[in-house]
Amino acid sequence: MRFTYTKLIIIVTLILPFISLSSYIVEATSSKRVYWNDTVKSIKNEPVWKGDTLWLPIDDIFSVIGAKVGWDKGRKQATVTYKGNKIVLTMNTDRIQLGGKSFKVLEQPQMFGKIAMISEHTLEELTGVDVDHNKKNKKIHLEPSEVLNQATTILKVPLREHAQFEVKIKNKFAHSKQEYSLTIPSKYSNQFKVDKQKLTLLPGAVGQFVIQSKQPLTKSEKKELYVNISSSSQKYSVQLPYEVSDYQLSKHRHPNSFIGEQELSRAKQRIHNVQWAKNYWRYLEGEAQKALKLKVKVPDESAGHSSWYTCKDGSPLTYQNGHFCKKEHTYYYGDRYDAGYRFYQHNEAIAALKTLSVAYALSGKEQYGNEAVRIINEYAKKYPNYSLQDRGGRMYWQSLDEAVGMVDILTSYDLLYSFKGLNDTSKKNIELNLIRPSVQTIESSSKGLSNWQAWHIAAIGMAGTVLGDVSFIERAVNGPDGFNHLIQHGVMSDGFWWEGSMAYHTYTLAAFNILGEAVSKWNYDLFSKPSLKQMFNAPISYAYPNLTLPVNNDGGKFGASLINTFSSKGYNDYESAYSRYKDPTYSWLLNQKYKSLYRRGDFALFFGEDVIGNGQSSIKSTNFKDVGHGILRSNALKNEDQLYVLMDYGPHGGSHGHLDKLALDIYGARTNLAPDFGTPAYSHPLYRSWYKQTLSHNTVVVDGESQVESHGKMISFIDEGDFKHMHAEANSAYKGITYNRSIMMDSDYLLDWFHVSDPIKEHQYDWFLHGMGSLSTTVKSKAVKDTPSLLYNQKNGYEQLKNLSAGTTLTGWSGVFKNQTAGMEVYSVPTSNPVQVITSTGPGPSNLMNGQPVIIQRKFSKEADFITIIRPSENGKISQIKGTLQTKNSVTIELENEDHHYYQNYSKANTNSNLLAAKAVTEKNATYRIDSSILFSVNKDQLHVQVLQYNQLKQLSLYLDAKGINSVYLNGSSVDYKSLGDRVMISINK
């Protein structure tokens, strides 16, 4: 028979000799005990947590591991000595001296009161110690990391094949080369052999021993092999478990998962006969050629998280013979950065595998197939050695990222299955040592109702379709945390995914789409579920008029769009959805996309229709009741010309929520005017200090504090003809504060009315508006040099405000934001309270984080109304729109050719308590008081409305509470009305 191997790699890392082979537990209790080698010791100072990061007392923790610490108190500098090696730590400095060399670490040592502390991450970077801790029970586990990535899953060896293990050694001694030897105990030496007895490595170098069975393994059994490794300072054993099994491959046809035989056959024809497909194939083959030249290396170790690969300020690191920060012009050092870099290496390897596999399947060119087989065989060889990570993955730190990666690996394997360069031995190895253990890893980390679980079941279901294992498909579709459970409980009645972020909605939807396409070949129909169709509908109804997506809550990077990008995983892709549902809105969306981009992508090539219909769309105002986002859109001939405003009033959104109740997101004049700025990387310093804080949103801040997590409600939402109105409250955002906002929308402006009050005491109310471009106002203001005097509470994001100017006024004032193509005019209607107007700059869109202009209206009182007219302007043209507060509940807006009169009922004690909102249009300069000109009464099921000065009106809209009404009379005459549950809408156009 052929001489073949099933391989396992073990990575053994020899660290600087700071660490004993023992493990020890630091228990942060009142007794401050330390457990080390069953010996109880005392530490003087308790470790502390800062956020989720553990900080350890320097003197105590180095004493535990047998090191000596000396202090230069004048320099605030500690010198740690162990076996002749020195680490120099300087407080509040991220530069560390290690063996005479300078390195930059993630977190600088610092003082907590009088105690010098080192973070868990810095300790790991300098010593190689793995620090695990449980914040709940305050137990801290420190373990040496001489052996990284021990065999964490049993190597599966097909019957009558050889077993092979690779043990990798890394010399982490700072100054000298080291010699290592590996011996196989006599118990195993008759069955296994090693390729070399000794290995010499320079500092930082990696080498390997190869252990293999002398004969094919012919007995089905579970066994354990041990080998001994020694160096000049250390000795230990490495466990190599394996299992021999008579594994049989499935007999079903391939490909038959995400891409099936029918899709592949049609795609092959398209790349020769259809121009857009020809273009895409040229692009795809170009990427395959790049992958051939690149010859990607599959990492030997698990990936960390992408957020770990950043500079101190959150900007990305780049690899330039080390982890280089361009902004600081310095290198970063440590295991955490290595793991962060491996995230991108794994992504690169899997992307190359997918590209090469698709290229082979479409062309039959063996060069692509051979390179793809090399990559997937490498993963099968290395996967059993990837250790289980804190977030549930093995290949990646997070089980989420592992599932996403496995979807592409499974697609690739299915496309390569019939390639002659992939023999049955390799297939068995891939299925036994990569696919099945990864499914086991993912299954053991169920994440309930979450976007993570959506990708988990996509990977599990895909594995079932590739392996021909229906039990996996059943678990993915009908299991306790399977598709049917997620779609039933995670998709709300408005079609929105429950996590409250459009980024996570589309991320979840992409996983469902992939799973749906894969299991459809096995007679599972996921697309017939109405909630899945609603999930496709929601982003279109939610998007700005230019079809970019709002990024509320942890909504991703600013500027995400339904039409300007392509994704191999189907993010924001409607090709498959249109083929499934034939919805004309989807074809309209695709046509909008292909106006500026040529048609391309895997979803188009494999699932897209031959011809996309013309389609049609009329996107209207929508109140997403469950997620709590109300969206008003103006009437316009073209969707892209709409004025758009979103108000966030609903649930907090769990860990992805922001403290932003009643925040506005405004679009007009074909651009973002006052948007939500989105979310940077979660590791970025501004993520929590700015983007999640209340003041970074267009809402009101009370006493300089951010809101508490809260859930508001929409009191009224209506879009009838020219009457567009929403009114929401979030009275739990601030304790004891009535917190209300209403929006009236006309064809080209908004009337924003924010009401806050406390019957007991005065507060500082700050109304924020974040614009784009430049800002000027009519307020006489002066630059503020003494910032603390203006922003006495320099926290909760206030510390990020720069370039401050301030002035105070009792009269109306206006401001103008201008960018390159459009602008936004703001007019503040004067009320009885003086207003301090503060202008500044603050971090802008999360994809740039550049300074953008901010207006703050500040009032000190028990009760305050911020009444503001907001009007888009194209090409920076400015009008003279103004407004006047007529009564506590009514405002008149003076336009160029007419006046608009609005009524907003904030006070239940008002005479017209059942009148919720109203709008009247008169000639310019007409004397009209809307609140005193409308009277009504109810006679059984008849509503009688009397409108005074009726002859002055050009238009009238009334929105009333009126239960059980069957007829409406206006000034004695019967009029048409619209019944909206317990409310009535009356519209008169004269």
Side-chain angles (χ1 to χ4, degrees):
M1 64 178 290
R2 292 169 300 176
F3 193 74
T4 54
Y5 297 100
T6 297
K7 297 184 179 181
L8 173 65
I9 301 173
I10 301 297
I11 301 175
V12 181
T13 303
L14 273 294
I15 65 169
L16 286 168
F18 284 96
I19 307 302
S20 161
L21 289 178
S22 309
S23 63
Y24 26 85
I25 299 174
V26 178
E27 186 178 0
T29 65
S30 57
S31 62
K32 301 169 186 171
R33 295 179 299 171
V34 176
Y35 300 88
W36 181 27
N37 284 342
D38 297 323
T39 302
V40 179
K41 294 187 177 182
S42 296
I43 57 174
K44 295 178 181 179
N45 304 291
E46 185 177 356
V48 298
W49 279 271
K50 185 177 180 182
D52 291 328
T53 300
L54 177 68
W55 290 79
L56 302 151
I58 289 174
D59 288 330
D60 292 330
I61 211 63
F62 281 108
S63 177
V64 164
I65 65 174
K68 292 182 179 180
V69 181
W71 281 95
D72 184 332
K73 294 185 178 179
R75 295 182 177 180
K76 295 183 179 180
Q77 195 172 78
T79 300
V80 181
T81 305
Y82 186 76
K83 291 186 178 180
N85 292 278
K86 289 185 179 181
I87 302 175
V88 181
L89 310 171
T90 304
M91 296 303 100
N92 303 316
T93 302
D94 52 13
R95 280 284 173 186
I96 303 296
Q97 298 294 321
L98 175 61
K101 294 183 179 180
S102 177
F103 297 99
K104 189 160 189 172
V105 291
L106 184 67
E107 291 127 349
Q108 59 193 22
Q110 56 188 270
M111 304 298 295
F112 284 68
K114 296 182 179 180
I115 309 302
M117 296 278 194
I118 186 171
S119 78
E120 55 175 306
H121 304 128
T122 301
L123 184 67
E124 287 176 332
E125 291 167 23
L126 296 176
T127 66
V129 171
D130 289 328
V131 181
D132 293 317
H133 54 88
N134 186 317
K135 195 172 182 180
K136 188 174 182 180
N137 62 23
K138 297 186 178 180
K139 286 189 176 181
I140 301 162
H141 299 260
L142 306 177
E143 294 185 357
S145 57
E146 283 85 2
V147 180
L148 291 181
N149 301 322
Q150 283 265 22
T152 54
T153 60
I154 298 172
L155 176 69
K156 303 295 179 65
V157 184
L159 195 65
R160 294 177 293 277
E161 302 290 351
H162 288 77
Q164 180 170 304
F165 305 87
E166 294 177 5
V167 178
K168 291 205 171 185
I169 307 291
K170 184 173 183 179
N171 178 14
K172 278 197 172 181
F173 277 77
H175 305 292
S176 61
K177 65 181 179 181
Q178 292 290 308
E179 184 177 87
Y180 306 93
S181 63
L182 185 149
T183 58
I184 300 174
S186 58
K187 180 180 178 180
Y188 309 106
S189 59
N190 289 333
Q191 194 174 5
F192 289 90
K193 60 183 179 180
V194 63
D195 67 329
K196 62 180 72 71
Q197 299 296 324
K198 295 184 182 298
L199 185 65
T200 302
L201 297 176
L202 296 172
V206 176
Q208 71 177 19
F209 294 101
V210 178
I211 301 103
Q212 63 188 36
S213 60
K214 294 180 178 179
Q215 301 294 331
L217 303 179
T218 58
K219 184 179 178 181
S220 296
E221 59 183 352
K222 285 186 179 180
K223 300 279 284 186
E224 288 185 347
L225 165 68
Y226 291 88
V227 296
N228 299 318
I229 299 176
S230 61
S231 68
S232 59
S233 62
Q234 298 169 334
K235 293 181 179 180
Y236 45 90
S237 294
V238 176
Q239 179 185 8
L240 306 173
Y242 63 94
E243 178 182 355
V244 184
S245 64
D246 188 12
Y247 183 77
Q248 300 299 317
L249 297 169
S250 172
K251 301 299 183 182
H252 76 277
R253 295 175 65 86
H254 295 266
N256 200 41
S257 60
F258 175 58
I259 298 169
E261 287 183 300
Q262 183 177 343
E263 288 93 356
L264 180 58
S265 175
R266 185 173 64 164
K268 286 180 176 180
Q269 294 176 19
R270 281 178 162 177
I271 64 173
H272 296 293
N273 302 326
V274 182
Q275 189 58 51
W276 66 263
K278 289 180 182 179
N279 294 338
Y280 179 54
W281 168 242
R282 281 197 293 270
Y283 163 80
L284 185 62
E285 188 163 32
E287 293 300 300
Q289 287 291 330
K290 291 178 185 177
L292 283 178
K293 294 177 182 177
L294 185 61
K295 200 79 174 178
V296 294
K297 179 182 181 297
V298 174
D300 292 327
E301 298 178 55
S302 306
H305 194 270
S306 60
S307 65
W308 299 354
Y309 206 60
T310 57
C311 305
K312 190 176 180 181
D313 67 353
S315 58
L317 290 167
T318 58
Y319 192 82
Q320 299 179 15
N321 296 318
H323 311 309
F324 187 67
C325 179
K326 291 181 179 179
K327 291 188 72 172
E328 300 170 11
H329 203 71
T330 189
Y331 283 91
Y332 280 42
Y333 166 83
D335 290 340
R336 189 174 176 86
Y337 300 110
D338 295 342
Y341 180 56
R342 286 196 298 273
F343 177 90
Y344 296 100
Q345 289 181 302
H346 276 287
N347 283 359
E348 183 179 51
I350 293 172
L353 170 62
K354 169 78 177 301
T355 297
L356 289 161
S357 301
V358 173
Y360 161 72
L362 290 171
S363 69
K365 293 181 180 179
E366 293 186 4
Q367 57 182 336
Y368 302 141
N370 287 329
E371 178 63 3
V373 166
R374 180 192 69 81
I375 296 170
I376 199 168
N377 278 337
E378 281 291 300
Y379 268 114
K381 182 170 63 174
K382 296 180 179 183
Y383 187 87
N385 192 46
Y386 293 149
S387 61
L388 184 64
Q389 304 294 299
D390 292 343
R391 289 286 186 90
R394 291 186 188 275
M395 187 188 312
Y396 287 86
W397 184 58
Q398 295 188 150
S399 58
L400 168 64
D401 297 322
E402 177 143 333
V404 172
M406 282 305 298
V407 164
D408 281 349
I409 289 174
L410 288 160
T411 299
S412 302
Y413 177 58
D414 201 29
L415 293 172
L416 292 170
Y417 196 89
S418 301
F419 175 46
K420 65 181 182 181
L422 185 66
N423 60 39
D424 284 356
T425 298
S426 292
K427 292 173 186 175
K428 290 177 181 180
N429 195 32
I430 290 165
E431 295 186 14
L432 283 169
N433 291 305
L434 174 59
I435 297 175
R436 289 187 179 276
S438 182
V439 169
Q440 184 180 6
T441 298
I442 293 166
E443 278 192 313
S444 65
S445 185
S446 177
K447 295 298 181 181
L449 211 61
S450 68
N451 64 85
W452 284 46
Q453 188 63 16
W455 280 99
H456 284 186
I457 63 172
I460 294 167
M462 280 277 293
T465 63
V466 171
L467 299 177
D469 191 332
V470 178
S471 68
F472 285 173
I473 303 175
E474 268 295 306
R475 289 205 285 277
V477 175
N478 296 317
D481 290 323
F483 172 83
N484 286 328
H485 172 78
L486 297 184
I487 205 78
Q488 180 180 351
H489 299 285
V491 181
M492 297 178 285
S493 64
D494 51 24
F496 223 107
W497 180 247
W498 76 273
E499 289 178 278
S501 155
M502 183 49 66
Y504 286 109
H505 176 101
T506 55
Y507 192 53
T508 300
L509 178 57
F512 287 165
N513 197 3
I514 290 170
L515 177 63
E517 290 292 353
V519 301
S520 68
K521 284 83 171 177
W522 295 78
N523 299 318
Y524 288 79
D525 183 6
L526 308 190
F527 292 99
S528 63
K529 296 288 184 179
S531 292
L532 185 56
K533 174 67 164 62
Q534 284 183 291
M535 286 190 76
F536 282 107
N537 293 343
I540 301 174
S541 298
Y542 192 74
Y544 296 125
N546 68 352
L547 297 174
T548 56
L549 291 168
V551 283
N552 304 77
N553 292 329
D554 284 348
K557 290 290 183 72
F558 184 84
S561 172
L562 292 175
I563 62 172
N564 69 359
T565 57
F566 292 95
S567 165
S568 64
K569 292 184 174 64
Y571 305 140
N572 302 335
D573 197 303
Y574 280 75
E575 288 275 10
S576 170
Y578 177 58
S579 294
R580 291 283 176 179
Y581 299 113
K582 302 299 187 294
D583 189 322
T585 301
Y586 301 169
S587 60
W588 169 82
L589 179 68
L590 291 170
N591 282 316
Q592 296 300 308
K593 180 174 184 174
Y594 298 136
K595 282 181 179 179
S596 56
L597 301 173
Y598 71 82
R599 195 178 180 189
R600 58 183 273 197
D602 289 354
F603 276 77
L605 182 62
F606 292 107
F607 304 107
E609 291 289 288
D610 291 333
V611 177
I612 300 173
N614 292 328
Q616 58 186 4
S617 177
S618 178
I619 305 176
K620 298 180 179 180
S621 301
T622 306
N623 181 21
F624 290 91
K625 296 179 181 179
D626 295 307
V627 75
H629 293 172
I631 298 172
L632 290 177
R633 298 173 184 267
S634 68
N635 298 329
L637 294 176
K638 297 180 179 179
N639 287 317
E640 57 264 34
D641 291 328
Q642 290 175 336
L643 173 60
Y644 169 111
V645 60
L646 180 155
M647 179 157 58
D648 183 342
Y649 66 89
H652 177 66
S655 63
H656 293 301
H658 289 195
L659 304 172
D660 60 353
K661 286 295 139 294
L662 306 193
L664 299 185
D665 188 337
I666 304 170
Y667 176 103
R670 299 192 173 197
T671 192
N672 293 105
L673 299 174
D676 188 299
F677 286 142
T679 305
Y682 295 154
S683 61
H684 198 285
L686 289 177
Y687 168 62
R688 294 190 183 278
S689 65
W690 175 258
Y691 289 97
K692 284 181 79 78
Q693 299 294 333
T694 302
L695 90 168
S696 71
H697 301 82
N698 299 315
T699 188
V700 168
V701 177
V702 180
D703 295 332
E705 298 289 336
S706 282
Q707 301 169 0
V708 299
E709 293 183 11
S710 56
H711 185 165
K713 67 177 182 179
M714 185 69 78
I715 297 171
S716 60
F717 182 94
I718 186 168
D719 180 355
E720 291 292 331
D722 292 329
F723 188 74
K724 301 172 187 292
H725 165 258
M726 58 181 168
H727 173 201
E729 67 179 18
N731 294 333
S732 59
Y734 291 99
K735 186 176 180 180
I737 304 291
T738 298
Y739 200 75
N740 280 242
R741 188 170 212 164
S742 76
I743 299 293
M744 296 280 194
M745 174 181 279
D746 197 67
S747 60
D748 67 344
Y749 71 84
L750 304 173
L751 174 63
D752 171 34
W753 194 328
F754 209 127
H755 174 80
V756 282
S757 64
D758 182 343
I760 299 174
K761 60 181 180 180
E762 288 191 352
H763 295 276
Q764 172 189 296
Y765 298 114
D766 286 354
W767 177 96
F768 278 84
L769 184 65
H770 299 261
M772 305 279 278
S774 63
L775 170 65
S776 61
T777 75
T778 60
V779 179
K780 293 182 179 179
S781 60
K782 293 183 179 180
V784 178
K785 295 182 180 179
D786 183 14
T787 302
S789 68
L790 187 66
L791 306 177
Y792 66 90
N793 183 4
Q794 286 192 290
K795 61 179 184 178
N796 301 322
Y798 279 88
E799 71 278 6
Q800 303 297 338
L801 297 174
K802 311 296 180 186
N803 308 312
L804 291 112
S805 295
T808 302
T809 182
L810 271 169
T811 61
W813 62 272
S814 62
V816 178
F817 294 89
K818 287 185 179 180
N819 58 35
Q820 292 181 347
T821 60
M824 177 173 62
E825 181 183 1
V826 176
Y827 181 83
S828 178
V829 177
T831 64
S832 58
N833 307 105
V835 60
Q836 185 179 27
V837 180
I838 303 167
T839 61
S840 66
T841 58
S846 58
N847 59 333
L848 298 173
M849 289 177 279
N850 55 341
Q852 293 293 341
V854 184
I855 289 178
I856 308 169
Q857 295 189 80
R858 175 173 290 175
K859 296 185 178 183
F860 297 90
S861 60
K862 291 182 179 179
E863 181 177 17
D865 288 281
F866 297 96
I867 306 171
T868 312
I869 304 166
I870 300 171
R871 193 179 202 182
S873 61
E874 294 187 9
N875 303 318
K877 294 180 179 178
I878 304 304
S879 65
Q880 297 298 319
I881 193 169
K882 292 184 177 180
T884 304
L885 182 66
Q886 299 291 356
T887 67
K888 190 173 183 178
N889 295 311
S890 62
V891 171
T892 293
I893 296 178
E894 303 166 27
L895 300 173
E896 290 83 353
N897 300 314
E898 59 188 20
D899 290 347
H900 291 181
H901 311 268
Y902 289 99
Y903 172 85
Q904 170 61 55
N905 186 357
Y906 277 128
S907 174
K908 293 182 180 179
N910 186 268
T911 304
N912 292 340
S913 60
N914 286 342
L915 180 60
L916 299 173
K919 174 186 177 183
V921 179
T922 67
E923 297 290 348
K924 191 168 179 61
N925 299 322
T927 304
Y928 193 80
R929 302 290 290 272
I930 189 170
D931 57 336
S932 59
S933 297
I934 301 172
L935 307 172
F936 63 88
S937 62
V938 176
N939 182 9
K940 296 182 180 179
D941 61 351
Q942 297 179 347
L943 174 64
H944 293 269
V945 181
Q946 184 178 4
V947 178
L948 307 179
Q949 299 177 294
Y950 184 70
N951 61 335
Q952 292 192 38
L953 300 181
K954 298 167 66 176
Q955 180 182 321
L956 178 66
S957 300
L958 304 175
Y959 186 46
L960 309 98
D961 260 333
K963 299 179 182 179
I965 296 299
N966 288 321
S967 58
V968 174
Y969 294 85
L970 178 68
N971 289 353
S973 299
S974 176
V975 294
D976 293 332
Y977 69 97
K978 187 167 187 176
S979 179
L980 303 167
D982 292 334
R983 294 175 177 178
V984 167
M985 179 72 207
I986 304 170
S987 297
I988 304 296
N989 288 293
K990 296 172 66 175

